Amino acid sequence: MDIHEYQAKDILKSFGVAVPDGALAYSPEQAAYRARELGGDRWVVKAQVHAGGRGKAGGVKLCSSDHEILDVTSDMFGMKLVTHQTGPAGKGVYRVYVEAATAFEREIYLGFVLDRTTQRVMIVASGEGGMEIEDISATRPDSIVRSTVEPAVGLRDFQAREIAFALGIPAALTQQMVRTLQGCYRAFTELDATMVEINPLVITSDSRIMALDAKMTFDGNAMFRHPQIAELRDKSQEDPRESRAADRGLSYIGLTGNIGCIVNGAGLAMATMDTIKLAGGEPANFLDIGGGATPERVAKAFKLVTSDKNVQAVLVNIFAGINRCDWVAEGVVQALRAEPVDVPVVVRLAGTNVEEGLKILAKSGLPIIRATTLMEAAQRAVTAWKNDMAQNTKVRAVK
Ligand code: GDP
Ligand code: MN
């Protein structure tokens, strides 16, 4: 689960990380008012969206007057900010953060991630802040400092000092850097984060270490024990298809193709998407119904996939171990009876109760295309989709 920059800064501040003074606004007038409240004569106005790369996309602006803030935020509010992290649809700007501008000497990159290989929290840092970490690792890989934290003892001060030295932080600021690293590490572990990223962390002109940007991601499965974090969820920043699925307990990722997939297990979902591509199609989504799916759950998943108007064919691919093919078949039939769809549906079943499942499909009398192997299923889905498209085009042409 992602949160906004201003929320991440608020959290990190409570863990001892220095951040600029700032205030949130929901309208241009409020943004100007907030700036007057903060005082000073230079402010940074920042669009709050769940994505990085805002600076280059026009979502971060330096302003020196009320008038300028009104002007800049009038454009920001309601816009769909498209950055290299949002995808082409962009993310809506409904909140703007106003901060006292900070003059700085140096920008540093600081990230805390879960390293799955070592199963440890890994600190990644670079003296080349301001750039995205992908660009740093492409252009200045030698500048990257990596340090793994031993969970039994946590981040020790000597380890934090080593990182500070490796980054060339002036000796007078070592203690502030240690405090910043410790604060981030504690926030990461105590709140079940999966990522803390500060880019840039700066050395200000008056020699302080300060986080000018902050990004935190949390483990969704741990949110039940952090209600104060869980309530920071902002559905306006999520793909509506994905929030609807999450609310129904389904694991769903929206994609840009047009073949809807209903699959059990993430590995099988990956294989299914690959096979669809191999057969010349593009998956519209990734939907994992999980193990032990009841007919009702399958029907819900089916409804969710077909409610996406980009979906022009559906492929149900089930390899049932814990699942039961007859229940899946029942779910598909229930869904199609309740709400007929005007796109071709291909079903491939294998495993537990496959004969019963196939019987249910055959007996239903519904125009369900069946397939035995995954390759066959993918090819049939792609062919059915192409034929369907051709027919629809003809109908339209005749009209
Ligand atoms: P991002 O593009 O989404 O990562 O947004 P950031 O918050 O990192 O802002 C983009 C860039 O704006 C930063 O890399 C800084 O160089 C610059 N910036 C942000 N805040 C300030 C500030 O207070 N003063 C100055 N001079 N530059 C800032
Ligand atoms: Mn940034």
Side-chain angles (χ1 to χ4, degrees):
M1 189 193 92
D2 292 326
I3 61 171
H4 288 293
E5 171 199 4
Y6 76 92
Q7 297 165 331
K9 280 180 166 163
D10 209 39
I11 292 170
L12 292 174
K13 188 177 171 187
S14 71
F15 280 87
V17 177
V19 297
D21 287 333
L24 191 70
Y26 290 93
S27 70
E29 295 71 26
Q30 201 181 16
Y33 180 76
R34 291 304 207 183
R36 278 197 299 277
E37 264 183 343
L38 286 167
D41 53 12
R42 265 184 111 216
W43 301 273
V44 190
V45 175
K46 310 180 81 173
Q48 296 299 292
V49 292
H50 286 182
R54 295 164 303 165
K56 281 185 197 132
V60 177
K61 302 266 187 191
L62 273 164
C63 298
S64 339
S65 70
D66 273 27
H67 189 72
E68 210 180 340
I69 291 179
L70 278 172
D71 232 33
V72 160
T73 52
S74 301
D75 290 339
M76 265 185 200
F77 276 107
M79 82 184 287
K80 289 276 181 202
L81 191 66
V82 180
T83 82
H84 67 97
Q85 286 185 0
T86 59
K91 296 217 165 170
V93 180
Y94 308 106
R95 306 176 197 190
V96 159
Y97 196 46
V98 184
E99 275 185 341
T102 309
F104 58 82
E105 305 281 329
R106 255 190 81 184
E107 292 182 286
I108 294 155
Y109 174 91
L110 179 60
F112 288 67
V113 288
L114 262 184
D115 179 37
R116 291 177 198 278
T117 315
T118 56
Q119 304 180 8
R120 301 274 189 278
V121 175
M122 187 191 261
I123 302 171
V124 182
S126 164
E128 306 282 321
M131 277 195 271
E132 302 298 330
I133 187 68
E134 293 83 2
D135 299 330
I136 302 174
S137 66
T139 57
R140 289 290 314 275
D142 51 301
S143 76
I144 297 177
V145 177
R146 288 186 182 80
S147 187
T148 307
V149 183
E150 171 56 47
V153 293
L155 179 63
R156 309 309 300 185
D157 280 357
F158 78 85
Q159 187 180 358
R161 278 195 296 273
E162 264 174 15
I163 296 169
F165 295 145
L167 292 170
I169 305 283
L173 294 179
T174 308
Q175 211 35 51
Q176 278 188 50
M177 188 63 189
V178 170
R179 190 178 152 84
T180 304
L181 288 161
Q182 291 289 18
C184 292
Y185 179 74
R186 276 184 40 233
F188 188 107
T189 50
E190 286 177 25
L191 300 175
D192 287 307
T194 53
M195 201 255 309
V196 173
E197 187 186 61
I198 301 182
N199 190 25
L201 179 74
V202 298
I203 299 182
T204 64
S205 305
D206 56 355
S207 283
R208 286 180 302 152
I209 294 205
M210 197 172 249
L212 287 201
D213 190 10
K215 200 171 171 185
M216 286 184 87
T217 305
F218 297 90
D219 181 350
N221 292 323
M223 285 302 96
F224 70 93
R225 57 183 187 188
H226 303 292
Q228 75 284 19
I229 304 289
E231 74 176 19
L232 301 180
R233 183 172 167 197
D234 179 359
K235 289 190 188 175
S236 79
Q237 298 296 306
E238 298 173 6
D239 181 329
R241 299 174 297 180
E242 288 176 21
S243 346
R244 219 165 27 212
D247 291 344
R248 286 164 182 70
L250 294 163
S251 167
Y252 180 97
I253 313 271
L255 302 167
T256 51
N258 35 39
I259 298 186
C261 311
I262 299 174
V263 183
N264 67 305
L268 190 61
M270 295 289 201
T272 306
M273 295 194 302
D274 283 351
T275 316
I276 287 174
K277 284 207 164 218
L278 198 63
E282 287 288 337
N285 70 282
F286 168 115
L287 194 157
D288 174 7
I289 57 165
T294 57
E296 291 71 31
R297 198 172 154 83
V298 174
K300 261 188 209 166
F302 203 89
K303 213 171 146 195
L304 189 83
V305 167
T306 50
S307 68
D308 180 349
K309 61 181 182 335
N310 294 328
V311 168
Q312 291 161 346
V314 177
L315 170 54
V316 181
N317 179 30
I318 301 295
F319 190 87
I322 305 168
N323 275 303
R324 292 174 45 173
C325 289
D326 52 333
W327 280 17
V328 172
E330 199 63 62
V332 172
V333 169
Q334 262 183 31
L336 284 171
R337 289 240 165 88
E339 230 165 291
V341 294
D342 56 359
V343 298
V345 177
V346 179
V347 179
R348 180 251 178 169
L349 301 172
T352 310
N353 293 356
V354 62
E355 288 82 11
E356 288 88 330
L358 292 173
K359 257 185 230 152
I360 291 168
L361 294 182
K363 266 206 236 149
S364 72
L366 292 163
I368 295 169
I369 304 166
R370 273 166 285 156
T372 314
T373 65
L374 172 51
M375 193 64 217
E376 196 178 72
Q379 279 163 348
R380 292 207 169 147
V382 173
T383 309
W385 160 63
K386 283 187 180 155
N387 289 343
D388 205 54
M389 291 301 288
Q391 274 172 11
N392 283 339
T393 322
K394 266 183 223 138
V395 173
R396 260 183 245 125
V398 171
K399 270 183 193 165

